[in-house]
Short mmCIF file of all heavy atoms in Angstrom, two decimals:
data_model
loop_
_atom_site.label_atom_id
_atom_site.label_comp_id
_atom_site.label_asym_id
_atom_site.label_seq_id
_atom_site.Cartn_x
_atom_site.Cartn_y
_atom_site.Cartn_z
N LEU A 1 0.83 -1.21 0.00
CA LEU A 1 0.00 0.00 0.00
C LEU A 1 0.86 1.26 0.00
O LEU A 1 1.91 1.31 0.63
CB LEU A 1 -0.92 0.03 1.22
CG LEU A 1 -2.07 -0.96 1.27
CD1 LEU A 1 -2.96 -0.66 2.46
CD2 LEU A 1 -2.90 -0.91 -0.01
N HIS A 2 0.39 2.27 -0.72
CA HIS A 2 1.02 3.58 -0.71
C HIS A 2 0.77 4.25 0.65
O HIS A 2 -0.18 3.91 1.36
CB HIS A 2 0.43 4.42 -1.85
CG HIS A 2 1.15 5.70 -2.12
ND1 HIS A 2 0.87 6.85 -1.43
CD2 HIS A 2 2.12 6.00 -3.01
CE1 HIS A 2 1.65 7.82 -1.88
NE2 HIS A 2 2.41 7.33 -2.84
N HIS A 3 1.62 5.21 0.99
CA HIS A 3 1.49 5.90 2.28
C HIS A 3 0.11 6.51 2.45
O HIS A 3 -0.48 6.46 3.54
CB HIS A 3 2.56 6.98 2.39
CG HIS A 3 2.50 7.76 3.67
ND1 HIS A 3 2.88 7.23 4.88
CD2 HIS A 3 2.08 9.03 3.92
CE1 HIS A 3 2.69 8.14 5.82
NE2 HIS A 3 2.21 9.23 5.27
N ARG A 4 -0.45 7.07 1.38
CA ARG A 4 -1.77 7.68 1.48
C ARG A 4 -2.83 6.64 1.81
O ARG A 4 -3.77 6.88 2.58
CB ARG A 4 -2.14 8.38 0.16
CG ARG A 4 -3.43 9.19 0.25
CD ARG A 4 -3.91 9.65 -1.10
NE ARG A 4 -4.46 8.54 -1.88
CZ ARG A 4 -5.10 8.70 -3.03
NH1 ARG A 4 -5.22 9.91 -3.55
NH2 ARG A 4 -5.58 7.67 -3.69
N ASP A 5 -2.68 5.43 1.22
CA ASP A 5 -3.65 4.37 1.48
C ASP A 5 -3.50 3.80 2.88
O ASP A 5 -4.46 3.28 3.45
CB ASP A 5 -3.49 3.26 0.43
CG ASP A 5 -3.74 3.79 -0.98
OD1 ASP A 5 -4.70 4.54 -1.15
OD2 ASP A 5 -2.96 3.46 -1.90
N ASN A 6 -2.29 3.87 3.43
CA ASN A 6 -2.09 3.44 4.82
C ASN A 6 -3.01 4.20 5.76
O ASN A 6 -3.62 3.64 6.66
CB ASN A 6 -0.64 3.68 5.25
CG ASN A 6 0.27 2.54 4.86
OD1 ASN A 6 -0.15 1.62 4.16
ND2 ASN A 6 1.51 2.60 5.29
N GLU A 7 -3.10 5.53 5.56
CA GLU A 7 -3.92 6.36 6.43
C GLU A 7 -5.39 5.96 6.35
O GLU A 7 -6.09 5.90 7.36
CB GLU A 7 -3.75 7.83 6.05
CG GLU A 7 -2.32 8.36 6.24
CD GLU A 7 -2.14 9.76 5.69
OE1 GLU A 7 -3.14 10.31 5.17
OE2 GLU A 7 -1.03 10.29 5.79
N ARG A 8 -5.85 5.65 5.12
CA ARG A 8 -7.25 5.23 4.96
C ARG A 8 -7.49 3.88 5.62
O ARG A 8 -8.53 3.64 6.23
CB ARG A 8 -7.59 5.16 3.47
CG ARG A 8 -7.66 6.53 2.82
CD ARG A 8 -7.79 6.42 1.33
NE ARG A 8 -8.12 7.71 0.72
CZ ARG A 8 -8.11 7.95 -0.58
NH1 ARG A 8 -7.75 7.00 -1.40
NH2 ARG A 8 -8.45 9.12 -1.06
N LEU A 9 -6.52 2.97 5.47
CA LEU A 9 -6.63 1.66 6.10
C LEU A 9 -6.71 1.80 7.62
O LEU A 9 -7.54 1.16 8.28
CB LEU A 9 -5.44 0.80 5.70
CG LEU A 9 -5.33 -0.57 6.37
CD1 LEU A 9 -6.49 -1.46 5.95
CD2 LEU A 9 -4.01 -1.23 6.02
N ILE A 10 -5.86 2.64 8.16
CA ILE A 10 -5.84 2.84 9.62
C ILE A 10 -7.18 3.41 10.09
O ILE A 10 -7.72 3.00 11.12
CB ILE A 10 -4.67 3.75 10.02
CG1 ILE A 10 -3.34 3.00 9.81
CG2 ILE A 10 -4.80 4.22 11.46
CD1 ILE A 10 -2.11 3.87 9.93
N ARG A 11 -7.74 4.37 9.34
CA ARG A 11 -9.03 4.94 9.71
C ARG A 11 -10.12 3.86 9.73
O ARG A 11 -10.98 3.85 10.61
CB ARG A 11 -9.42 6.06 8.74
CG ARG A 11 -8.69 7.36 8.95
CD ARG A 11 -9.45 8.54 8.36
NE ARG A 11 -9.67 8.37 6.92
CZ ARG A 11 -8.85 8.83 5.99
NH1 ARG A 11 -7.73 9.47 6.35
NH2 ARG A 11 -9.11 8.67 4.71
N THR A 12 -10.07 2.96 8.76
CA THR A 12 -11.07 1.89 8.69
C THR A 12 -10.93 0.94 9.87
O THR A 12 -11.93 0.56 10.51
CB THR A 12 -10.91 1.10 7.37
OG1 THR A 12 -11.01 2.00 6.27
CG2 THR A 12 -12.00 0.05 7.24
N LEU A 13 -9.69 0.56 10.19
CA LEU A 13 -9.45 -0.34 11.33
C LEU A 13 -9.85 0.34 12.65
O LEU A 13 -10.40 -0.29 13.55
CB LEU A 13 -7.99 -0.77 11.37
CG LEU A 13 -7.49 -1.57 10.16
CD1 LEU A 13 -6.02 -1.94 10.33
CD2 LEU A 13 -8.32 -2.82 9.95
N ARG A 14 -9.57 1.64 12.73
CA ARG A 14 -9.94 2.40 13.92
C ARG A 14 -11.45 2.40 14.09
O ARG A 14 -11.98 2.27 15.21
CB ARG A 14 -9.42 3.82 13.73
CG ARG A 14 -9.61 4.78 14.87
CD ARG A 14 -8.56 4.58 15.92
NE ARG A 14 -9.06 3.75 17.01
CZ ARG A 14 -8.30 3.25 17.96
NH1 ARG A 14 -7.01 3.46 17.96
NH2 ARG A 14 -8.81 2.51 18.92
N ARG A 15 -12.16 2.49 12.97
CA ARG A 15 -13.63 2.50 13.04
C ARG A 15 -14.15 1.14 13.49
O ARG A 15 -15.12 1.07 14.27
CB ARG A 15 -14.20 2.86 11.66
CG ARG A 15 -15.71 2.99 11.64
CD ARG A 15 -16.17 3.60 10.33
NE ARG A 15 -17.62 3.71 10.28
CZ ARG A 15 -18.29 4.27 9.27
NH1 ARG A 15 -17.62 4.77 8.26
NH2 ARG A 15 -19.60 4.33 9.29
N LEU A 16 -13.52 0.06 13.01
CA LEU A 16 -13.93 -1.28 13.46
C LEU A 16 -13.78 -1.40 14.97
O LEU A 16 -14.63 -1.98 15.65
CB LEU A 16 -13.08 -2.35 12.77
CG LEU A 16 -13.46 -2.76 11.34
CD1 LEU A 16 -12.42 -3.70 10.77
CD2 LEU A 16 -14.83 -3.40 11.31
N ALA A 17 -12.67 -0.86 15.51
CA ALA A 17 -12.45 -0.92 16.95
C ALA A 17 -13.44 -0.04 17.71
O ALA A 17 -13.95 -0.42 18.77
CB ALA A 17 -11.01 -0.51 17.28
N ASP A 18 -13.73 1.14 17.13
CA ASP A 18 -14.60 2.10 17.82
C ASP A 18 -16.03 1.61 17.97
O ASP A 18 -16.75 2.03 18.90
CB ASP A 18 -14.59 3.44 17.08
CG ASP A 18 -13.24 4.16 17.21
OD1 ASP A 18 -12.46 3.77 18.11
OD2 ASP A 18 -12.98 5.08 16.42
N ILE A 19 -16.50 0.73 17.05
CA ILE A 19 -17.89 0.26 17.15
C ILE A 19 -18.00 -0.98 18.05
O ILE A 19 -19.09 -1.56 18.17
CB ILE A 19 -18.50 -0.03 15.77
CG1 ILE A 19 -17.73 -1.15 15.04
CG2 ILE A 19 -18.56 1.23 14.92
CD1 ILE A 19 -18.36 -1.53 13.70
N GLY A 20 -16.87 -1.39 18.66
CA GLY A 20 -16.96 -2.45 19.65
C GLY A 20 -16.29 -3.76 19.27
O GLY A 20 -16.71 -4.82 19.75
N ASN A 21 -15.29 -3.70 18.44
CA ASN A 21 -14.56 -4.91 18.03
C ASN A 21 -13.11 -4.84 18.49
O ASN A 21 -12.61 -3.78 18.88
CB ASN A 21 -14.60 -5.08 16.51
CG ASN A 21 -16.01 -5.25 15.99
OD1 ASN A 21 -16.70 -6.22 16.31
ND2 ASN A 21 -16.46 -4.28 15.18
N THR A 22 -12.41 -5.95 18.42
CA THR A 22 -10.98 -6.01 18.68
C THR A 22 -10.26 -6.22 17.36
O THR A 22 -10.63 -7.11 16.58
CB THR A 22 -10.65 -7.18 19.62
OG1 THR A 22 -11.36 -7.02 20.84
CG2 THR A 22 -9.15 -7.24 19.89
N VAL A 23 -9.25 -5.39 17.08
CA VAL A 23 -8.48 -5.50 15.85
C VAL A 23 -7.04 -5.83 16.23
O VAL A 23 -6.37 -5.03 16.89
CB VAL A 23 -8.53 -4.20 15.02
CG1 VAL A 23 -7.73 -4.37 13.73
CG2 VAL A 23 -9.98 -3.84 14.69
N LEU A 24 -6.59 -7.02 15.83
CA LEU A 24 -5.24 -7.48 16.14
C LEU A 24 -4.44 -7.51 14.85
O LEU A 24 -4.79 -8.22 13.91
CB LEU A 24 -5.30 -8.88 16.76
CG LEU A 24 -3.99 -9.53 17.18
CD1 LEU A 24 -3.30 -8.70 18.24
CD2 LEU A 24 -4.26 -10.94 17.69
N VAL A 25 -3.35 -6.72 14.80
CA VAL A 25 -2.59 -6.55 13.57
C VAL A 25 -1.15 -7.00 13.77
O VAL A 25 -0.50 -6.58 14.73
CB VAL A 25 -2.61 -5.08 13.09
CG1 VAL A 25 -1.90 -4.94 11.76
CG2 VAL A 25 -4.04 -4.57 12.98
N VAL A 26 -0.65 -7.86 12.88
CA VAL A 26 0.78 -8.19 12.84
C VAL A 26 1.41 -7.24 11.83
O VAL A 26 1.06 -7.27 10.65
CB VAL A 26 1.00 -9.66 12.40
CG1 VAL A 26 2.49 -9.97 12.32
CG2 VAL A 26 0.29 -10.61 13.36
N GLU A 27 2.31 -6.38 12.26
CA GLU A 27 2.72 -5.29 11.37
C GLU A 27 4.09 -4.74 11.72
O GLU A 27 4.54 -4.82 12.87
CB GLU A 27 1.66 -4.16 11.45
CG GLU A 27 1.81 -3.07 10.44
CD GLU A 27 1.78 -3.57 9.01
OE1 GLU A 27 0.69 -3.67 8.42
OE2 GLU A 27 2.88 -3.88 8.49
N HIS A 28 4.78 -4.21 10.69
CA HIS A 28 6.06 -3.52 10.87
C HIS A 28 5.93 -2.02 10.62
O HIS A 28 6.84 -1.26 10.90
CB HIS A 28 7.11 -4.04 9.87
CG HIS A 28 7.30 -5.52 9.93
ND1 HIS A 28 8.16 -6.13 10.80
CD2 HIS A 28 6.73 -6.52 9.21
CE1 HIS A 28 8.12 -7.45 10.62
NE2 HIS A 28 7.26 -7.71 9.66
N ASP A 29 4.79 -1.60 10.03
CA ASP A 29 4.64 -0.22 9.58
C ASP A 29 4.57 0.75 10.77
O ASP A 29 3.82 0.54 11.73
CB ASP A 29 3.37 -0.10 8.74
CG ASP A 29 3.17 1.29 8.19
OD1 ASP A 29 3.91 1.66 7.27
OD2 ASP A 29 2.29 2.00 8.70
N GLU A 30 5.36 1.82 10.69
CA GLU A 30 5.43 2.76 11.79
C GLU A 30 4.10 3.46 12.04
O GLU A 30 3.68 3.63 13.20
CB GLU A 30 6.53 3.81 11.53
CG GLU A 30 6.67 4.81 12.66
CD GLU A 30 7.79 5.82 12.42
OE1 GLU A 30 8.53 5.65 11.42
OE2 GLU A 30 7.92 6.75 13.22
N ASP A 31 3.43 3.90 10.97
CA ASP A 31 2.14 4.58 11.15
C ASP A 31 1.13 3.69 11.85
O ASP A 31 0.36 4.15 12.70
CB ASP A 31 1.59 5.03 9.78
CG ASP A 31 2.42 6.12 9.15
OD1 ASP A 31 3.13 6.83 9.89
OD2 ASP A 31 2.38 6.27 7.91
N MET A 32 1.10 2.41 11.46
CA MET A 32 0.17 1.48 12.08
C MET A 32 0.50 1.30 13.56
O MET A 32 -0.39 1.27 14.42
CB MET A 32 0.22 0.13 11.36
CG MET A 32 -0.80 -0.89 11.85
SD MET A 32 -2.50 -0.46 11.40
CE MET A 32 -2.50 -0.85 9.65
N MET A 33 1.80 1.22 13.89
CA MET A 33 2.19 1.07 15.29
C MET A 33 1.80 2.29 16.11
O MET A 33 1.34 2.18 17.25
CB MET A 33 3.70 0.82 15.39
CG MET A 33 4.11 -0.59 14.96
SD MET A 33 5.84 -0.95 15.33
CE MET A 33 6.66 -0.22 13.92
N ARG A 34 1.99 3.47 15.53
CA ARG A 34 1.67 4.70 16.27
C ARG A 34 0.16 4.88 16.45
O ARG A 34 -0.28 5.59 17.35
CB ARG A 34 2.28 5.91 15.56
CG ARG A 34 3.81 5.91 15.58
CD ARG A 34 4.39 7.25 15.20
NE ARG A 34 5.86 7.21 15.24
CZ ARG A 34 6.58 7.31 16.35
NH1 ARG A 34 5.95 7.46 17.52
NH2 ARG A 34 7.89 7.26 16.31
N ALA A 35 -0.63 4.24 15.57
CA ALA A 35 -2.09 4.35 15.69
C ALA A 35 -2.66 3.33 16.67
O ALA A 35 -3.83 3.42 17.05
CB ALA A 35 -2.73 4.15 14.31
N ALA A 36 -1.83 2.36 17.08
CA ALA A 36 -2.32 1.28 17.94
C ALA A 36 -2.53 1.76 19.38
O ALA A 36 -1.82 2.64 19.88
CB ALA A 36 -1.33 0.11 17.92
N ASP A 37 -3.51 1.16 20.05
CA ASP A 37 -3.74 1.44 21.47
C ASP A 37 -2.73 0.68 22.34
O ASP A 37 -2.37 1.14 23.43
CB ASP A 37 -5.16 1.03 21.88
CG ASP A 37 -6.21 1.80 21.10
OD1 ASP A 37 -6.07 3.03 20.97
OD2 ASP A 37 -7.16 1.17 20.60
N HIS A 38 -2.30 -0.49 21.86
CA HIS A 38 -1.43 -1.35 22.65
C HIS A 38 -0.50 -2.09 21.70
O HIS A 38 -0.93 -2.57 20.66
CB HIS A 38 -2.27 -2.34 23.46
CG HIS A 38 -1.49 -3.15 24.45
ND1 HIS A 38 -1.32 -2.76 25.75
CD2 HIS A 38 -0.81 -4.33 24.33
CE1 HIS A 38 -0.60 -3.65 26.40
NE2 HIS A 38 -0.27 -4.63 25.55
N ILE A 39 0.79 -2.19 22.06
CA ILE A 39 1.77 -2.87 21.22
C ILE A 39 2.40 -4.01 22.00
O ILE A 39 2.77 -3.85 23.18
CB ILE A 39 2.88 -1.89 20.75
CG1 ILE A 39 2.28 -0.78 19.88
CG2 ILE A 39 3.96 -2.64 19.97
CD1 ILE A 39 3.30 0.26 19.44
N VAL A 40 2.51 -5.18 21.34
CA VAL A 40 3.26 -6.30 21.90
C VAL A 40 4.50 -6.45 21.03
O VAL A 40 4.41 -6.78 19.85
CB VAL A 40 2.42 -7.60 21.88
CG1 VAL A 40 3.26 -8.77 22.41
CG2 VAL A 40 1.15 -7.44 22.70
N ASP A 41 5.67 -6.18 21.62
CA ASP A 41 6.93 -6.19 20.87
C ASP A 41 7.62 -7.54 21.06
O ASP A 41 8.00 -7.90 22.18
CB ASP A 41 7.83 -5.05 21.35
CG ASP A 41 9.10 -4.95 20.54
OD1 ASP A 41 9.09 -5.37 19.36
OD2 ASP A 41 10.11 -4.46 21.07
#
């Protein structure tokens, strides 16, 4: 994904979490990590 599409993806995942779901992501991307509520390193 392009950097611009990363932001849209993060917004979508954030919305899934906001309506009452758990979103578990395996990821290396810095933007995704900074958007996370909790990180397991």
Side-chain angles (χ1 to χ4, degrees):
L1 290 187
H2 190 274
H3 179 72
R4 188 190 73 172
D5 299 316
N6 275 7
E7 297 173 1
R8 290 171 169 170
L9 175 65
I10 290 169
R11 284 202 301 269
T12 304
L13 298 180
R14 184 80 263 169
R15 184 169 179 177
L16 279 173
D18 290 344
I19 62 177
N21 298 296
T22 302
V23 181
L24 181 61
V25 184
V26 178
E27 190 57 89
H28 305 274
D29 182 73
E30 181 178 354
D31 292 337
M32 185 70 74
M33 286 189 277
R34 293 194 179 280
D37 299 314
H38 188 92
I39 298 177
V40 177
D41 184 26

